[in-house]
Amino acid sequence: MKIFCVGRNYVDHAKELGNAIPEEPVIFMKPKSALLKANSPFYYPEFSNELHYEIELVLRIAKNGKYVPEKQADKYVDAITVGIDFTARDVQSELKNKGLPWEKAKAWDNSAIVGQWIPLELERLKKPFLFTLRKNGEVVQQGDSSLMIYPFNHIISHISSYFSLNIGDLLFTGTPAGVGECVVGDVLEGFIEDERLFELEIK
Ligand code: ZN
């Protein structure tokens, strides 16, 4: 199982971190060991002093494929949820400054959280998804998939021209503006519309 992630897929988020709007999707990956198992505790990583949440819509790949045309791309997805692409922002800033890869900042154990899956009808993918992250009860991030720079079908097609898609792969589709820090004791809750799909306490 692979975890694909899209960076800088919302204009407001690219700007808040001082990044240029990308000319093609920015893709990175997390290994299988980055996925937090259901009902396991999440611990603040000891190598960071600046842990950031990034709420993202996550798609589940339901079909093996390569070189998937955009028009066919929605057939490769069978469920959606929200998740967190946890990022050690201090580590990432250092790596970015040196022009080095991001894995130490983004791909560590348990850095990927996914909520409960919502099965997807093909038609549903065409309408926007509104999603929200609450921290300690307060809304800290809100996203609308219609504001993505690269929509679902483009991302799937683009990724599949480099990497095989396999059943069970996950695709984090990028975070909207409002990323920020969390500390031990914070409780994060992710929603699509008003359906709560995960709750996580930082230990
Ligand atoms: Zn992200």
Side-chain angles (χ1 to χ4, degrees), residues 22-131:
E23 281 161 23
E24 59 175 71
V26 175
I27 305 296
F28 60 96
M29 289 165 85
K30 297 188 188 234
K32 193 177 168 187
S33 48
L35 187 65
L36 183 74
K37 291 195 184 76
N39 304 316
S40 299
F42 176 85
Y43 295 104
Y44 196 105
E46 73 272 15
F47 48 79
S48 176
N49 289 306
E50 194 187 9
L51 177 66
H52 271 202
Y53 50 77
E54 295 190 356
I55 185 95
E56 313 200 358
L57 288 170
V58 186
L59 301 176
R60 188 172 69 191
I61 300 296
K63 213 171 146 176
N64 297 333
K66 188 92 208 265
Y67 301 109
V68 175
E70 279 191 33
K71 275 189 183 162
Q72 301 286 322
D74 48 7
K75 298 200 176 81
Y76 285 74
V77 172
D78 73 343
I80 191 167
T81 189
V82 274
I84 299 184
D85 162 22
F86 271 116
T87 304
R89 196 69 74 197
D90 47 353
V91 177
Q92 188 191 30
S93 304
E94 219 181 299
L95 293 169
K96 266 164 82 176
N97 287 341
K98 294 180 187 159
L100 294 172
W102 283 355
E103 277 84 350
K104 284 179 173 176
K106 290 236 180 222
W108 35 279
D109 286 359
N110 303 330
S111 60
I113 281 49
V114 291
Q116 243 176 288
W117 293 103
I118 303 174
L120 265 185
E121 306 293 328
L122 285 185
E123 281 307 300
R124 180 61 185 93
L125 266 180
K126 297 189 177 106
K127 293 185 214 139
F129 288 89
L130 304 176
F131 58 104

Side-chain angles (χ1 to χ4, degrees), residues 139-193:
V139 174
V140 287
Q141 280 192 281
Q142 265 185 321
D144 173 344
S145 61
S146 65
L147 300 176
M148 293 193 302
I149 299 170
Y150 298 105
F152 296 142
N153 55 355
H154 184 88
I155 300 167
I156 291 167
S157 175
H158 183 81
I159 287 176
S160 76
S161 57
Y162 294 82
F163 310 99
S164 307
L165 299 178
N166 292 114
I167 296 171
D169 287 349
L170 304 181
L171 171 51
F172 281 68
T173 58
T175 196
V179 299
E181 234 182 308
C182 40
V183 295
V184 173
D186 282 346
V187 175
L188 303 173
E189 297 166 283
F191 298 79
I192 292 182
E193 316 285 336

